[in-house]
Amino acid sequence: MSDLDLNLLPALDALLQEQSVTAAARRLGLSTSAMSRTLSRLRAAVGDPILVPAGRGMVATPHALAIAEEVRFLQEAVKTVLSPPATVNIRDARRDFTIRANEAFVLLYAARLSAAVANTAPGIRLRFAPRSDKDVQSLREAAIDLDIGVLPSESGELRCQTLFEDRYVGIARVGHPIFEADPITVASYVAWGHVVFSPHPDFFGPIDRALAGIGHARDVRLIVPSFPAVIAVAAASDLIGSVPRSYCKSGAVTEIDTFELPVTVSGFGVVQAWHPRMDADPVHRWLRALIFESFRSMD
Protein backbone atom coordinates (compact mmCIF):
# COMPACT_ATOMS: atom_id res chain seq x y z
CA MET A 1 0.00 0.00 0.00
CA SER A 2 2.96 2.34 0.54
CA ASP A 3 3.56 2.31 -3.25
CA LEU A 4 -0.09 2.90 -4.13
CA ASP A 5 -0.61 6.01 -6.29
CA LEU A 6 -4.24 7.03 -6.50
CA ASN A 7 -3.35 9.40 -9.32
CA LEU A 8 -3.17 6.30 -11.54
CA LEU A 9 -6.87 5.59 -11.00
CA PRO A 10 -8.33 8.43 -13.13
CA ALA A 11 -5.74 7.70 -15.82
CA LEU A 12 -6.72 4.03 -15.89
CA ASP A 13 -10.40 4.98 -16.04
CA ALA A 14 -9.77 7.38 -18.94
CA LEU A 15 -7.71 4.82 -20.87
CA LEU A 16 -10.37 2.16 -20.46
CA GLN A 17 -13.14 4.57 -21.44
CA GLU A 18 -11.35 5.97 -24.49
CA GLN A 19 -9.16 2.97 -25.46
CA SER A 20 -6.77 5.56 -26.87
CA VAL A 21 -3.69 7.14 -25.31
CA THR A 22 -4.23 10.37 -27.24
CA ALA A 23 -7.94 10.66 -26.34
CA ALA A 24 -7.28 9.77 -22.69
CA ALA A 25 -4.53 12.41 -22.55
CA ARG A 26 -6.89 15.02 -23.99
CA ARG A 27 -9.58 14.04 -21.50
CA LEU A 28 -7.26 14.56 -18.51
CA GLY A 29 -5.49 17.61 -19.92
CA LEU A 30 -2.14 15.83 -20.28
CA SER A 31 0.32 15.51 -23.10
CA THR A 32 0.35 12.28 -25.11
CA SER A 33 3.86 11.50 -23.92
CA ALA A 34 2.85 11.97 -20.28
CA MET A 35 -0.11 9.63 -20.76
CA SER A 36 2.18 7.08 -22.43
CA ARG A 37 4.45 7.15 -19.38
CA THR A 38 1.42 6.74 -17.12
CA LEU A 39 0.28 3.74 -19.15
CA SER A 40 3.71 2.19 -18.63
CA ARG A 41 3.37 2.68 -14.87
CA LEU A 42 -0.13 1.18 -14.96
CA ARG A 43 1.10 -1.87 -16.82
CA ALA A 44 3.78 -2.41 -14.19
CA ALA A 45 1.35 -1.87 -11.31
CA VAL A 46 -1.45 -4.06 -12.71
CA GLY A 47 0.75 -6.68 -14.30
CA ASP A 48 -1.21 -6.54 -17.56
CA PRO A 49 -0.73 -4.62 -20.86
CA ILE A 50 -4.19 -3.01 -20.42
CA LEU A 51 -4.21 -1.60 -23.97
CA VAL A 52 -2.49 -3.17 -26.98
CA PRO A 53 -2.17 -1.96 -30.59
CA ALA A 54 -4.88 -3.07 -33.05
CA GLY A 55 -4.37 -1.63 -36.52
CA ARG A 56 -4.33 2.17 -36.17
CA GLY A 57 -5.99 2.06 -32.77
CA MET A 58 -5.78 0.15 -29.51
CA VAL A 59 -7.96 -2.41 -27.78
CA ALA A 60 -8.34 -3.38 -24.15
CA THR A 61 -7.07 -6.74 -22.89
CA PRO A 62 -9.54 -9.24 -21.36
CA HIS A 63 -8.26 -8.32 -17.88
CA ALA A 64 -8.73 -4.61 -18.58
CA LEU A 65 -12.31 -5.23 -19.74
CA ALA A 66 -12.96 -7.31 -16.64
CA ILE A 67 -11.90 -4.54 -14.26
CA ALA A 68 -13.34 -1.58 -16.21
CA GLU A 69 -16.62 -1.41 -14.30
CA GLU A 70 -14.87 -1.70 -10.95
CA VAL A 71 -12.40 1.02 -11.93
CA ARG A 72 -15.31 3.33 -12.84
CA PHE A 73 -16.96 2.57 -9.47
CA LEU A 74 -13.72 3.23 -7.56
CA GLN A 75 -13.15 6.46 -9.46
CA GLU A 76 -16.59 7.76 -8.43
CA ALA A 77 -16.13 6.52 -4.86
CA VAL A 78 -12.82 8.35 -4.51
CA LYS A 79 -14.40 11.55 -5.86
CA THR A 80 -17.17 11.24 -3.27
CA VAL A 81 -14.79 10.61 -0.38
CA LEU A 82 -12.40 13.43 -1.32
CA SER A 83 -15.07 16.03 -2.11
CA PRO A 84 -16.66 18.57 0.29
CA PRO A 85 -19.96 17.50 1.90
CA ALA A 86 -22.92 17.74 -0.40
CA THR A 87 -25.29 20.66 0.04
CA VAL A 88 -28.06 19.70 2.45
CA ASN A 89 -31.70 20.57 1.93
CA ILE A 90 -32.43 21.46 5.54
CA ARG A 91 -36.17 20.93 5.14
CA ASP A 92 -35.50 17.28 4.30
CA ALA A 93 -32.99 16.72 7.11
CA ARG A 94 -33.86 14.10 9.73
CA ARG A 95 -31.81 14.41 12.91
CA ASP A 96 -31.94 14.76 16.69
CA PHE A 97 -29.73 17.27 18.51
CA THR A 98 -28.94 17.17 22.22
CA ILE A 99 -28.39 20.56 23.84
CA ARG A 100 -27.09 20.84 27.39
CA ALA A 101 -28.59 23.84 29.20
CA ASN A 102 -29.81 24.70 32.65
CA GLU A 103 -33.45 24.59 33.71
CA ALA A 104 -33.99 28.33 33.51
CA PHE A 105 -32.76 28.49 29.92
CA VAL A 106 -35.12 25.67 28.97
CA LEU A 107 -38.08 27.38 30.64
CA LEU A 108 -37.35 30.70 28.94
CA TYR A 109 -36.20 29.72 25.47
CA ALA A 110 -36.85 26.07 24.60
CA ALA A 111 -40.35 26.64 23.20
CA ARG A 112 -39.21 29.55 21.01
CA LEU A 113 -36.19 27.67 19.67
CA SER A 114 -38.27 24.55 18.99
CA ALA A 115 -40.79 26.59 17.01
CA ALA A 116 -38.00 28.25 14.98
CA VAL A 117 -36.51 24.85 14.13
CA ALA A 118 -39.87 23.30 13.23
CA ASN A 119 -40.72 26.21 10.97
CA THR A 120 -37.71 25.51 8.73
CA ALA A 121 -36.70 21.91 9.40
CA PRO A 122 -39.63 19.82 10.65
CA GLY A 123 -37.48 16.67 10.63
CA ILE A 124 -35.07 18.03 13.24
CA ARG A 125 -35.81 17.51 16.93
CA LEU A 126 -34.19 19.19 19.92
CA ARG A 127 -33.50 17.34 23.14
CA PHE A 128 -32.49 19.43 26.15
CA ALA A 129 -30.28 17.69 28.70
CA PRO A 130 -29.65 19.03 32.23
CA ARG A 131 -26.49 21.07 32.74
CA SER A 132 -25.53 19.24 35.91
CA ASP A 133 -21.89 19.56 34.93
CA LYS A 134 -19.77 21.40 32.37
CA ASP A 135 -17.69 18.41 31.29
CA VAL A 136 -15.98 19.02 27.95
CA GLN A 137 -15.71 15.27 27.37
CA SER A 138 -19.43 15.01 26.58
CA LEU A 139 -18.90 17.29 23.58
CA ARG A 140 -15.75 15.44 22.55
CA GLU A 141 -17.61 12.12 22.56
CA ALA A 142 -20.71 13.56 20.82
CA ALA A 143 -22.90 12.69 23.82
CA ILE A 144 -24.19 16.25 23.43
CA ASP A 145 -24.12 18.51 20.36
CA LEU A 146 -24.20 21.95 21.98
CA ASP A 147 -23.58 23.31 25.45
CA ILE A 148 -25.37 26.59 26.23
CA GLY A 149 -24.51 28.63 29.29
CA VAL A 150 -21.60 30.43 30.89
CA LEU A 151 -18.37 29.15 29.41
CA PRO A 152 -16.30 27.18 31.94
CA SER A 153 -12.82 28.51 32.68
CA GLU A 154 -11.27 25.33 31.26
CA SER A 155 -12.97 25.14 27.87
CA GLY A 156 -10.18 23.23 26.13
CA GLU A 157 -10.47 23.17 22.37
CA LEU A 158 -14.16 24.09 22.25
CA ARG A 159 -15.53 26.60 19.76
CA CYS A 160 -17.74 29.25 21.37
CA GLN A 161 -20.13 31.94 20.19
CA THR A 162 -21.72 34.50 22.50
CA LEU A 163 -25.51 34.52 22.31
CA PHE A 164 -26.13 37.44 24.68
CA GLU A 165 -24.62 39.37 27.58
CA ASP A 166 -26.20 39.09 31.01
CA ARG A 167 -25.78 40.44 34.53
CA TYR A 168 -27.15 39.79 38.00
CA VAL A 169 -30.05 41.75 39.50
CA GLY A 170 -31.66 41.55 42.92
CA ILE A 171 -35.21 40.28 43.31
CA ALA A 172 -37.81 40.40 46.08
CA ARG A 173 -41.54 39.84 46.31
CA VAL A 174 -43.83 42.66 45.23
CA GLY A 175 -44.35 44.94 48.23
CA HIS A 176 -41.24 43.81 50.08
CA PRO A 177 -40.02 46.39 52.66
CA ILE A 178 -36.59 46.52 51.02
CA PHE A 179 -38.13 48.67 48.27
CA GLU A 180 -38.87 51.39 50.84
CA ALA A 181 -35.20 52.40 50.60
CA ASP A 182 -34.33 54.39 47.48
CA PRO A 183 -31.74 53.61 46.46
CA ILE A 184 -31.25 50.21 48.02
CA THR A 185 -28.00 50.38 49.98
CA VAL A 186 -25.53 47.69 50.92
CA ALA A 187 -26.73 47.94 54.51
CA SER A 188 -30.37 47.36 53.61
CA TYR A 189 -29.40 44.61 51.18
CA VAL A 190 -27.44 42.54 53.71
CA ALA A 191 -29.97 43.18 56.48
CA TRP A 192 -32.35 40.63 54.97
CA GLY A 193 -32.05 36.87 54.68
CA HIS A 194 -31.14 35.58 51.23
CA VAL A 195 -32.01 32.63 49.01
CA VAL A 196 -29.25 31.64 46.61
CA PHE A 197 -28.76 29.18 43.79
CA SER A 198 -25.90 26.72 44.01
CA PRO A 199 -25.52 23.14 42.76
CA HIS A 200 -22.84 22.68 45.43
CA PRO A 201 -22.61 23.22 49.20
CA ASP A 202 -20.31 26.18 48.52
CA PHE A 203 -22.53 29.19 47.78
CA PHE A 204 -19.80 31.84 47.80
CA GLY A 205 -20.36 33.41 44.39
CA PRO A 206 -19.50 36.67 42.60
CA ILE A 207 -21.93 38.74 44.68
CA ASP A 208 -20.44 37.39 47.91
CA ARG A 209 -16.93 38.19 46.66
CA ALA A 210 -17.99 41.75 45.81
CA LEU A 211 -19.55 42.19 49.27
CA ALA A 212 -16.50 40.72 50.99
CA GLY A 213 -14.35 43.24 49.16
CA ILE A 214 -16.12 46.05 51.01
CA GLY A 215 -16.38 44.24 54.34
CA HIS A 216 -19.93 42.84 54.13
CA ALA A 217 -21.58 39.44 53.80
CA ARG A 218 -25.04 38.14 52.92
CA ASP A 219 -27.11 36.23 55.46
CA VAL A 220 -27.82 33.15 53.35
CA ARG A 221 -30.77 31.24 54.78
CA LEU A 222 -31.65 28.93 51.91
CA ILE A 223 -29.75 27.26 49.06
CA VAL A 224 -31.76 25.95 46.08
CA PRO A 225 -30.73 24.03 42.92
CA SER A 226 -31.87 26.49 40.23
CA PHE A 227 -32.61 30.13 39.47
CA PRO A 228 -36.32 29.43 38.87
CA ALA A 229 -36.38 28.06 42.43
CA VAL A 230 -34.80 31.30 43.67
CA ILE A 231 -37.59 33.25 41.95
CA ALA A 232 -40.29 30.99 43.38
CA VAL A 233 -38.93 31.26 46.94
CA ALA A 234 -38.43 35.03 46.75
CA ALA A 235 -42.00 35.46 45.44
CA ALA A 236 -43.41 33.51 48.39
CA SER A 237 -41.27 34.83 51.26
CA ASP A 238 -39.28 37.77 52.59
CA LEU A 239 -36.00 36.26 51.43
CA ILE A 240 -33.98 38.29 48.93
CA GLY A 241 -32.70 36.64 45.78
CA SER A 242 -30.36 37.40 42.90
CA VAL A 243 -30.74 36.03 39.38
CA PRO A 244 -29.47 36.81 35.88
CA ARG A 245 -31.48 39.67 34.41
CA SER A 246 -32.54 37.56 31.42
CA TYR A 247 -34.53 35.24 33.69
CA CYS A 248 -36.79 38.13 34.63
CA LYS A 249 -38.23 38.33 31.10
CA SER A 250 -40.56 35.42 31.69
CA GLY A 251 -44.24 35.91 32.45
CA ALA A 252 -43.75 33.61 35.44
CA VAL A 253 -42.06 36.37 37.46
CA THR A 254 -45.00 38.74 37.87
CA GLU A 255 -44.95 38.25 41.66
CA ILE A 256 -41.44 39.69 42.10
CA ASP A 257 -39.79 43.04 41.50
CA THR A 258 -36.18 43.57 40.52
CA PHE A 259 -33.58 46.06 41.72
CA GLU A 260 -30.01 46.99 40.91
CA LEU A 261 -27.49 45.36 43.20
CA PRO A 262 -25.81 47.85 45.57
CA VAL A 263 -22.37 46.38 44.73
CA THR A 264 -20.55 46.17 41.42
CA VAL A 265 -20.65 42.65 39.96
CA SER A 266 -19.23 41.91 36.52
CA GLY A 267 -21.58 40.77 33.80
CA PHE A 268 -21.09 37.57 31.86
CA GLY A 269 -21.71 36.14 28.41
CA VAL A 270 -24.01 33.24 27.66
CA VAL A 271 -22.46 31.18 24.88
CA GLN A 272 -23.18 28.19 22.74
CA ALA A 273 -20.18 25.85 22.71
CA TRP A 274 -19.41 22.91 20.45
CA HIS A 275 -16.52 20.66 19.59
CA PRO A 276 -14.48 21.54 16.46
CA ARG A 277 -15.24 18.07 15.07
CA MET A 278 -18.69 19.52 14.24
CA ASP A 279 -17.42 22.74 12.60
CA ALA A 280 -18.04 21.61 9.03
CA ASP A 281 -21.16 19.53 9.61
CA PRO A 282 -23.78 21.37 7.49
CA VAL A 283 -26.82 20.61 9.67
CA HIS A 284 -24.96 21.43 12.88
CA ARG A 285 -23.80 24.70 11.31
CA TRP A 286 -27.40 25.50 10.35
CA LEU A 287 -28.62 24.89 13.91
CA ARG A 288 -25.89 27.07 15.42
CA ALA A 289 -26.75 29.88 13.01
CA LEU A 290 -30.46 29.57 13.77
CA ILE A 291 -29.87 29.76 17.55
CA PHE A 292 -27.54 32.74 17.16
CA GLU A 293 -29.98 34.64 14.92
CA SER A 294 -32.85 33.80 17.26
CA PHE A 295 -31.12 35.60 20.13
CA ARG A 296 -30.19 38.51 17.91
CA SER A 297 -33.85 38.96 17.07
CA MET A 298 -34.82 38.73 20.76
CA ASP A 299 -32.44 41.56 21.59
Short mmCIF file of all heavy atoms in Angstrom, two decimals, residues 236-265:
data_model
loop_
_atom_site.label_atom_id
_atom_site.label_comp_id
_atom_site.label_asym_id
_atom_site.label_seq_id
_atom_site.Cartn_x
_atom_site.Cartn_y
_atom_site.Cartn_z
N ALA A 236 -42.53 34.04 47.34
CA ALA A 236 -43.41 33.51 48.39
C ALA A 236 -42.88 33.77 49.79
O ALA A 236 -43.39 33.20 50.76
CB ALA A 236 -43.61 32.01 48.19
N SER A 237 -41.86 34.62 49.93
CA SER A 237 -41.27 34.83 51.26
C SER A 237 -40.64 36.22 51.31
O SER A 237 -40.72 37.00 50.36
CB SER A 237 -40.21 33.77 51.54
OG SER A 237 -39.05 34.00 50.72
N ASP A 238 -40.00 36.52 52.44
CA ASP A 238 -39.28 37.77 52.59
C ASP A 238 -37.80 37.62 52.26
O ASP A 238 -37.02 38.57 52.45
CB ASP A 238 -39.44 38.31 54.01
CG ASP A 238 -40.79 39.00 54.23
OD1 ASP A 238 -41.42 39.36 53.22
OD2 ASP A 238 -41.20 39.14 55.39
N LEU A 239 -37.39 36.46 51.80
CA LEU A 239 -36.00 36.26 51.43
C LEU A 239 -35.68 37.03 50.15
O LEU A 239 -36.50 37.14 49.25
CB LEU A 239 -35.70 34.78 51.23
CG LEU A 239 -35.80 33.90 52.49
CD1 LEU A 239 -35.51 32.45 52.13
CD2 LEU A 239 -34.83 34.39 53.58
N ILE A 240 -34.47 37.56 50.10
CA ILE A 240 -33.98 38.29 48.93
C ILE A 240 -33.23 37.32 48.02
O ILE A 240 -32.49 36.45 48.49
CB ILE A 240 -33.04 39.43 49.35
CG1 ILE A 240 -33.74 40.37 50.33
CG2 ILE A 240 -32.56 40.20 48.12
CD1 ILE A 240 -34.96 41.04 49.78
N GLY A 241 -33.41 37.49 46.72
CA GLY A 241 -32.70 36.64 45.78
C GLY A 241 -31.90 37.46 44.79
O GLY A 241 -32.01 38.69 44.73
N SER A 242 -31.08 36.76 44.01
CA SER A 242 -30.36 37.40 42.90
C SER A 242 -30.32 36.40 41.75
O SER A 242 -30.01 35.22 41.94
CB SER A 242 -28.95 37.80 43.31
OG SER A 242 -28.24 36.70 43.84
N VAL A 243 -30.66 36.90 40.56
CA VAL A 243 -30.74 36.03 39.38
C VAL A 243 -30.20 36.79 38.17
O VAL A 243 -30.15 38.03 38.19
CB VAL A 243 -32.19 35.57 39.09
CG1 VAL A 243 -32.75 34.75 40.24
CG2 VAL A 243 -33.08 36.76 38.78
N PRO A 244 -29.82 36.10 37.12
CA PRO A 244 -29.47 36.81 35.88
C PRO A 244 -30.67 37.61 35.38
O PRO A 244 -31.82 37.16 35.46
CB PRO A 244 -29.10 35.67 34.92
CG PRO A 244 -28.65 34.57 35.81
CD PRO A 244 -29.53 34.66 37.02
N ARG A 245 -30.41 38.79 34.87
CA ARG A 245 -31.48 39.67 34.41
C ARG A 245 -32.36 39.02 33.35
O ARG A 245 -33.57 39.25 33.30
CB ARG A 245 -30.87 40.97 33.85
CG ARG A 245 -31.87 42.02 33.40
CD ARG A 245 -31.16 43.28 32.93
NE ARG A 245 -30.30 43.02 31.79
CZ ARG A 245 -30.69 43.12 30.51
NH1 ARG A 245 -31.93 43.47 30.23
NH2 ARG A 245 -29.85 42.88 29.53
N SER A 246 -31.77 38.19 32.49
CA SER A 246 -32.54 37.56 31.42
C SER A 246 -33.66 36.69 31.95
O SER A 246 -34.68 36.51 31.29
CB SER A 246 -31.62 36.73 30.53
OG SER A 246 -31.01 35.68 31.27
N TYR A 247 -33.49 36.13 33.14
CA TYR A 247 -34.53 35.24 33.69
C TYR A 247 -35.77 36.00 34.12
O TYR A 247 -36.81 35.40 34.39
CB TYR A 247 -33.98 34.45 34.88
CG TYR A 247 -32.86 33.50 34.53
CD1 TYR A 247 -32.15 32.84 35.51
CD2 TYR A 247 -32.50 33.26 33.20
CE1 TYR A 247 -31.10 31.98 35.19
CE2 TYR A 247 -31.48 32.41 32.88
CZ TYR A 247 -30.78 31.77 33.87
OH TYR A 247 -29.76 30.91 33.54
N CYS A 248 -35.65 37.32 34.21
CA CYS A 248 -36.79 38.13 34.63
C CYS A 248 -37.66 38.56 33.46
O CYS A 248 -38.56 39.37 33.61
CB CYS A 248 -36.30 39.35 35.39
SG CYS A 248 -35.38 38.93 36.89
N LYS A 249 -37.41 38.01 32.27
CA LYS A 249 -38.23 38.33 31.10
C LYS A 249 -39.45 37.43 30.99
O LYS A 249 -40.34 37.66 30.18
CB LYS A 249 -37.39 38.19 29.82
CG LYS A 249 -36.21 39.15 29.73
CD LYS A 249 -35.42 38.92 28.47
CE LYS A 249 -34.21 39.84 28.38
NZ LYS A 249 -33.41 39.60 27.15
N SER A 250 -39.47 36.38 31.78
CA SER A 250 -40.56 35.42 31.69
C SER A 250 -41.82 35.94 32.37
O SER A 250 -41.76 36.66 33.37
CB SER A 250 -40.14 34.09 32.33
OG SER A 250 -41.24 33.24 32.50
N GLY A 251 -42.97 35.54 31.84
CA GLY A 251 -44.24 35.91 32.45
C GLY A 251 -44.45 35.26 33.80
O GLY A 251 -45.38 35.62 34.52
N ALA A 252 -43.60 34.32 34.17
CA ALA A 252 -43.75 33.61 35.44
C ALA A 252 -43.22 34.41 36.62
O ALA A 252 -43.26 33.95 37.75
CB ALA A 252 -43.03 32.27 35.36
N VAL A 253 -42.67 35.61 36.38
CA VAL A 253 -42.06 36.37 37.46
C VAL A 253 -42.88 37.61 37.82
O VAL A 253 -42.34 38.58 38.33
CB VAL A 253 -40.61 36.77 37.09
CG1 VAL A 253 -39.73 35.56 36.92
CG2 VAL A 253 -40.59 37.63 35.84
N THR A 254 -44.16 37.56 37.60
CA THR A 254 -45.00 38.74 37.87
C THR A 254 -45.15 39.01 39.37
O THR A 254 -45.59 40.11 39.74
CB THR A 254 -46.40 38.53 37.27
OG1 THR A 254 -46.95 37.30 37.76
CG2 THR A 254 -46.32 38.48 35.75
N GLU A 255 -44.79 38.05 40.22
CA GLU A 255 -44.95 38.25 41.66
C GLU A 255 -43.69 38.79 42.32
O GLU A 255 -43.63 38.92 43.54
CB GLU A 255 -45.36 36.94 42.32
CG GLU A 255 -46.72 36.43 41.85
CD GLU A 255 -47.09 35.11 42.48
OE1 GLU A 255 -46.25 34.56 43.21
OE2 GLU A 255 -48.21 34.64 42.26
N ILE A 256 -42.66 39.12 41.53
CA ILE A 256 -41.44 39.69 42.10
C ILE A 256 -41.09 40.98 41.39
O ILE A 256 -41.51 41.22 40.25
CB ILE A 256 -40.26 38.69 42.02
CG1 ILE A 256 -39.99 38.27 40.57
CG2 ILE A 256 -40.51 37.48 42.89
CD1 ILE A 256 -38.76 38.85 39.98
N ASP A 257 -40.35 41.82 42.08
CA ASP A 257 -39.79 43.04 41.50
C ASP A 257 -38.27 42.91 41.50
O ASP A 257 -37.69 42.18 42.34
CB ASP A 257 -40.20 44.27 42.30
CG ASP A 257 -41.60 44.76 41.93
OD1 ASP A 257 -42.03 44.47 40.79
OD2 ASP A 257 -42.25 45.41 42.77
N THR A 258 -37.63 43.62 40.61
CA THR A 258 -36.18 43.57 40.52
C THR A 258 -35.58 44.89 41.00
O THR A 258 -36.25 45.93 41.01
CB THR A 258 -35.71 43.30 39.08
OG1 THR A 258 -36.07 44.41 38.25
CG2 THR A 258 -36.35 42.03 38.54
N PHE A 259 -34.30 44.84 41.36
CA PHE A 259 -33.58 46.06 41.72
C PHE A 259 -32.11 45.90 41.38
O PHE A 259 -31.61 44.77 41.26
CB PHE A 259 -33.76 46.39 43.21
CG PHE A 259 -33.30 45.32 44.16
CD1 PHE A 259 -31.97 45.28 44.61
CD2 PHE A 259 -34.18 44.34 44.61
CE1 PHE A 259 -31.54 44.30 45.49
CE2 PHE A 259 -33.75 43.35 45.49
CZ PHE A 259 -32.43 43.33 45.93
N GLU A 260 -31.44 47.02 41.19
CA GLU A 260 -30.01 46.99 40.91
C GLU A 260 -29.25 46.63 42.18
O GLU A 260 -29.56 47.13 43.27
CB GLU A 260 -29.54 48.34 40.39
CG GLU A 260 -30.14 48.73 39.05
CD GLU A 260 -29.76 47.76 37.94
OE1 GLU A 260 -28.60 47.27 37.95
OE2 GLU A 260 -30.61 47.48 37.08
N LEU A 261 -28.30 45.75 42.05
CA LEU A 261 -27.49 45.36 43.20
C LEU A 261 -26.69 46.57 43.70
O LEU A 261 -26.21 47.39 42.91
CB LEU A 261 -26.53 44.24 42.82
CG LEU A 261 -27.19 42.91 42.43
CD1 LEU A 261 -26.13 41.92 41.93
CD2 LEU A 261 -27.95 42.31 43.61
N PRO A 262 -26.54 46.69 45.02
CA PRO A 262 -25.81 47.85 45.57
C PRO A 262 -24.29 47.69 45.52
O PRO A 262 -23.56 48.52 46.07
CB PRO A 262 -26.32 47.91 47.01
CG PRO A 262 -26.63 46.48 47.34
CD PRO A 262 -27.16 45.87 46.07
N VAL A 263 -23.81 46.60 44.91
CA VAL A 263 -22.37 46.38 44.73
C VAL A 263 -22.12 46.11 43.25
O VAL A 263 -23.01 45.68 42.51
CB VAL A 263 -21.85 45.20 45.57
CG1 VAL A 263 -21.88 45.55 47.05
CG2 VAL A 263 -22.65 43.94 45.30
N THR A 264 -20.92 46.37 42.82
CA THR A 264 -20.55 46.17 41.42
C THR A 264 -20.16 44.71 41.20
O THR A 264 -19.21 44.20 41.82
CB THR A 264 -19.38 47.07 41.02
OG1 THR A 264 -19.76 48.43 41.23
CG2 THR A 264 -19.00 46.85 39.56
N VAL A 265 -20.91 44.05 40.31
CA VAL A 265 -20.65 42.65 39.96
C VAL A 265 -20.53 42.57 38.45
O VAL A 265 -21.40 43.06 37.72
CB VAL A 265 -21.78 41.72 40.45
CG1 VAL A 265 -21.49 40.27 40.07
CG2 VAL A 265 -21.95 41.85 41.96
#
